[in-house]
Amino acid sequence: MRTNDLIFRTTTSLIAFILLGFSFYLLLAGHNAPGGGFIGGLMTAAAILLMYMAYGFEAIRKIIPVNFKMVIPTGLFIAVLTGIGSFVFDQPFLSQTYGHFHLPILGDVELATAMIFDLGVYLTVVGVTLTIMLTIANDS
Amino acid sequence: MSNIAVLPILIPLVAGIITIFFHKKIKAVRFFAKLVTLLNLGVAVWIGYYVIQNGTVVLETGDWVAPYGIVMVADRLAIFLVITTNIIATACVFFAQHSLSLKQEQFYFYTFYFLLITGVSGAFLTGDLFNLFVFYEVLLMASYGLVILGGERVQLRESLKYVLLNLFSSMLFVTTVAFLYSVVGTINMAQIAQRVQEVEQTGILTTIGIVLFFVFATKGAIFPLYFWLPKSYIVPNTVVSALFGALLTKVGIYSILRTFTLMFTNDTGVTHELFIWLAALSMLFGVIGALSTNNIKLIIAYNIIPAVGFMLMGIGLLNDAGISGSVYYLIHDMIIKAALFLMVGALAYLAGTSDLTKMKGMIHHYPLLGWMFFIGSLVLAGIPPFSGFIGKLLLLRGGIEEERFVIVVIGLLTSLLILLSMMRIFMRGFWGEKPDIKVQPKQARKLMMPAVFLLTLSIILGIGAEWFYPHVDTITTELLDQGSYIDSVLKE
């Protein structure tokens, strides 16, 4: 019962990349500007879901061969590890720090450990959202 | 060094996450779970020793100074309860593999189990009211996972009630925290206590206090909010029932104990008076429930409610003997409830039924289980020299000091009825002719070991009361002197 969804597919291939790019920006900006791992993750999940809707389950599973159930613990683990990092440096739990680094091409960049925590949140949100959505979608 | 306060939360959390990665390799998971639980118990005992030596440990997470940041407060009461939690967790993790089916174990049982311990320990250790809500959610999420483990029809029916009720009370909880924040402008428990005292607890604060009490009462199964408890606690697997029965309601009671000895203590004529009457009704209705049924698991589940009543009575009395009675009873009840749930679980498994009318003469085949159950009943009913007696003695003394004779009489009557309800199991299930059933001595031994461990501890808690009582006394002094908690958190 596949309907003619040429417009939907064309728009998706355009929008999905804008969504992914913007969600990644939100993730990187999140620790001291509007954004963060949570909304970045939700947006990524939305983009991937859009691709699932446009191209079908099998096609996307070949392109993104990731078991989203396993993304959840990976994200949680990264987030908890940033907290545990403070044990190593004898700081109170969940302390964060930042520094300025000179990277090739990008120039002077401020990197903060809070971003690693955000990355954990990001992965967890992507994992949870897609696991729920795909479970519901496959239920019928 | 202050970081140690977060370890009892962090270790099970990390373990819970790691077990997701290899949840199908059940032998490895079992070994890992036992190892981590023992490690966590060791760490908790070590922190307990550290706290006794050096006083309350306060962790200001992320180096944000209280009251602006989130604090973890490991005072004596919190850490003693964390140790007790880990003792029960140890017994349950050794029981789990004999009671769960392979499929249930593989379906993330150990992950949910670790997250439950994370939530319970977190609720005991946090010094921030909103964080208490967060840890409530953590433990509830884990408990939702555990209660439907197996996915039988009756489980889904009972867990629906459980989930809906807890969702509602969580909603009420977060709303109440918002109300409280709008009045006192803080969610740090120590600072709330300070500000409530400064404004001498005006009417609106008492109202908020009572709403908060009803939130905790829903979790703690206090009259009239206990109706959901008995059935939803007996439908999951035995090991899950034991964890729930021993830990979840006690988190509710701990929250009431903390809130109403630290924050809302100025208008006791309203709040604490209410507690005493609700305590009396909880005792009576709980024990009537226990006498009304022939299902052995249901009898134990109903017996949670009078125990909660006893603890609430001590909080309501708010004097030395009452509070120390509540604290003693809290620790005692966690251990003995876990032991009893494990024992009736083993009994139901070995007899092949949990219906008393179909059971007889089990003592002929399993004498050890029979006598253990007998001792467990005495401990629960509060027969000297066991631990229940010490707790009840303190509570009744507190009641007599305040000249509350009605509640004292109800308490004594309830104790007798509890003993009667337990003896019904003993007389009908263990006495009688030798039944014609398949005897499984090997399986029985495995099922009984964790209960033996808990029962031994419970007996030590009673006979060795001389060793434990000084600590309980210190906890009481700390609880009744709000200044000491406020000072240790806010460092003034």
Side-chain angles (χ1 to χ4, degrees):
Chain A
M1 54 157 278
R2 201 116 185 96
T3 47
N4 189 352
D5 49 7
L6 182 67
I7 299 175
F8 184 44
R9 284 191 183 197
T10 320
T11 346
T12 300
S13 50
L14 235 133
I15 289 179
F17 279 99
I18 300 174
L19 275 177
L20 282 176
F22 189 57
S23 71
F24 202 61
Y25 164 76
L26 283 176
L27 164 68
L28 293 178
H31 58 281
N32 56 7
F38 189 83
I39 55 170
L42 275 184
M43 208 171 256
T44 307
I48 297 175
L49 204 65
L50 204 61
M51 295 198 291
Y52 268 109
M53 283 163 72
Y55 295 101
F57 188 75
E58 289 302 321
I60 301 301
R61 212 176 53 183
K62 267 181 212 151
I63 300 169
I64 317 172
V66 181
N67 181 1
F68 289 108
K69 252 186 225 165
M70 283 301 128
V71 175
I72 307 173
T74 315
L76 282 174
F77 200 59
I78 292 172
V80 175
L81 275 187
T82 57
I84 296 173
S86 54
F87 277 75
V88 182
F89 299 102
D90 202 25
Q91 292 291 315
F93 181 64
L94 284 176
S95 294
Q96 64 129 340
T97 180
Y98 66 96
H100 289 270
F101 297 91
H102 198 79
L103 298 180
I105 305 169
L106 295 172
D108 188 46
V109 179
E110 185 195 303
L111 292 177
T113 54
M115 220 220 68
I116 309 174
F117 183 83
D118 255 352
L119 181 71
V121 176
Y122 175 86
L123 289 176
T124 312
V125 171
V126 171
V128 169
T129 319
L130 285 173
T131 307
I132 294 173
M133 289 296 182
L134 296 181
T135 311
I136 295 172
N138 289 337
D139 213 26
S140 56
Chain B
M1 253 337 252
S2 63
N3 263 337
I4 57 171
V6 81
L7 279 176
I9 308 170
L10 210 54
I11 295 171
L13 177 61
V14 173
I17 295 168
I18 291 174
T19 49
I20 304 178
F21 286 112
F22 55 104
H23 65 105
K24 291 277 183 203
K25 298 194 176 63
I26 202 63
K27 280 202 173 126
V29 175
R30 277 175 194 160
F31 177 73
F32 178 75
K34 284 173 191 165
L35 195 74
V36 173
T37 308
L38 285 174
L39 171 80
N40 201 21
L41 177 62
V43 168
V45 170
W46 174 65
I47 300 170
Y49 178 74
Y50 185 87
V51 169
I52 289 171
Q53 297 292 317
N54 301 307
T56 307
V57 178
V58 179
L59 165 65
E60 291 166 331
T61 52
D63 225 359
W64 287 86
V65 181
Y68 305 106
I70 291 166
V71 288
M72 296 285 162
V73 186
D75 64 350
R76 279 189 199 221
L77 174 63
I79 203 67
F80 272 49
L81 291 174
V82 168
I83 294 171
T84 319
T85 304
N86 280 303
I87 289 170
I88 289 151
T90 310
C92 286
V93 80
F94 280 91
F95 189 85
Q97 72 184 76
H98 307 298
S99 141
L100 292 161
S101 71
L102 190 65
K103 208 177 149 207
Q104 288 173 327
E105 267 187 292
Q106 282 180 338
F107 206 79
Y108 305 108
F109 167 78
Y110 291 99
T111 305
F112 289 130
Y113 155 83
F114 276 124
L115 291 180
L116 188 78
I117 305 300
T118 309
V120 172
S121 306
F124 289 145
L125 286 170
T126 185
D128 181 289
L129 204 58
F130 188 77
N131 230 246
L132 182 66
F133 164 74
V134 173
F135 281 116
Y136 260 106
E137 285 305 296
V138 173
L139 74 89
L140 285 173
M141 289 290 166
S143 76
Y144 299 156
L146 287 172
V147 82
I148 58 159
L149 202 69
E152 284 164 35
R153 199 186 171 82
V154 59
Q155 264 183 312
L156 293 176
R157 192 184 64 218
E158 291 304 325
S159 57
L160 186 68
K161 272 189 259 174
Y162 176 76
V163 171
L164 284 180
L165 195 88
N166 276 306
L167 273 182
F168 177 73
S169 78
S170 295
M171 221 160 66
L172 197 62
F173 191 176
V174 80
T175 319
T176 317
V177 173
F179 278 140
L180 192 57
Y181 183 76
S182 72
V183 176
V184 293
T186 178
I187 44 168
N188 181 296
M189 292 205 230
Q191 206 183 15
I192 294 174
Q194 204 181 26
R195 294 202 170 159
V196 169
Q197 275 174 19
E198 277 167 15
V199 297
E200 284 166 349
Q201 198 175 341
T202 46
I204 187 70
L205 282 168
T206 309
T207 315
I208 292 172
I210 288 185
V211 178
L212 210 51
F213 167 74
F214 273 99
V215 171
F216 298 142
T218 319
K219 320 274 185 191
I222 290 161
F223 179 89
L225 298 161
Y226 66 84
F227 55 88
W228 57 274
L229 179 133
K231 290 224 169 86
S232 65
Y233 273 28
I234 62 158
V235 287
N237 196 284
T238 304
V239 61
V240 178
S241 304
L243 280 170
F244 281 18
L247 300 178
L248 295 196
T249 49
K250 309 308 181 285
V251 178
I253 281 292
Y254 163 79
S255 309
I256 295 172
L257 181 63
R258 187 63 94 192
T259 319
F260 288 90
T261 55
L262 181 66
M263 300 178 209
F264 305 104
T265 49
N266 288 34
D267 204 355
T268 50
V270 179
T271 51
H272 293 66
E273 185 73 26
L274 177 75
F275 295 171
I276 292 181
W277 289 111
L278 288 181
L281 289 168
S282 302
M283 289 179 201
L284 286 175
F285 278 83
V287 85
I288 289 169
L291 288 169
S292 72
T293 172
N294 275 324
N295 184 329
I296 52 173
K297 286 185 180 173
L298 209 53
I299 293 176
I300 306 292
Y302 266 114
N303 264 318
I304 293 174
I305 300 157
V308 167
F310 275 108
M311 289 174 248
L312 188 65
M313 168 188 166
I315 302 169
L317 293 169
L318 202 69
N319 57 10
D320 256 354
I323 295 289
S324 41
S326 283
V327 172
Y328 206 96
Y329 206 88
L330 187 56
I331 294 170
H332 141 81
D333 197 61
M334 283 166 89
I335 296 177
I336 191 65
K337 277 285 145 55
L340 283 171
F341 266 110
L342 294 182
M343 277 191 266
V344 291
L347 177 62
Y349 177 87
L350 296 169
T353 172
S354 53
D355 191 344
L356 264 185
T357 51
K358 292 176 188 153
M359 205 185 289
K360 61 177 179 181
M362 292 297 285
I363 205 159
H364 294 291
H365 294 303
Y366 307 104
L368 178 63
L369 185 64
W371 291 116
M372 267 167 51
F373 191 83
F374 182 71
I375 293 173
S377 309
L378 296 185
V379 175
L380 186 72
I383 306 294
F386 299 116
S387 53
F389 172 71
I390 317 280
K392 275 178 188 155
L393 181 71
L394 287 165
L395 284 169
L396 297 180
R397 206 172 71 198
I400 291 167
E401 275 173 22
E402 298 284 313
E403 297 182 349
R404 298 270 184 178
F405 298 114
V406 180
I407 184 99
V408 170
V409 172
I410 291 176
L412 285 169
L413 184 72
T414 309
S415 298
L416 274 179
L417 292 176
I418 291 175
L419 187 64
L420 179 65
S421 75
M422 297 302 289
M423 282 306 135
R424 276 177 67 227
I425 303 183
F426 188 71
M427 288 193 301
R428 293 210 195 156
F430 286 101
W431 283 1
E433 297 163 31
K434 202 167 182 172
D436 191 22
I437 50 164
K438 207 175 97 206
V439 189
Q440 303 150 288
K442 223 176 178 180
Q443 188 69 9
R445 205 162 44 241
K446 282 181 193 155
L447 285 170
M448 276 188 292
M449 282 324 285
V452 170
F453 166 67
L454 287 176
L455 198 63
T456 317
L457 275 176
S458 189
I459 292 169
I460 292 172
L461 196 64
I463 294 172
E466 283 287 313
W467 304 325
F468 298 106
Y469 185 70
H471 296 299
V472 174
D473 204 37
T474 322
I475 290 172
T476 311
T477 320
E478 281 179 359
L479 278 177
L480 288 175
D481 173 26
Q482 291 88 9
S484 70
Y485 185 90
I486 295 171
D487 288 344
S488 61
V489 175
L490 298 177
K491 298 195 181 70
E492 280 166 4

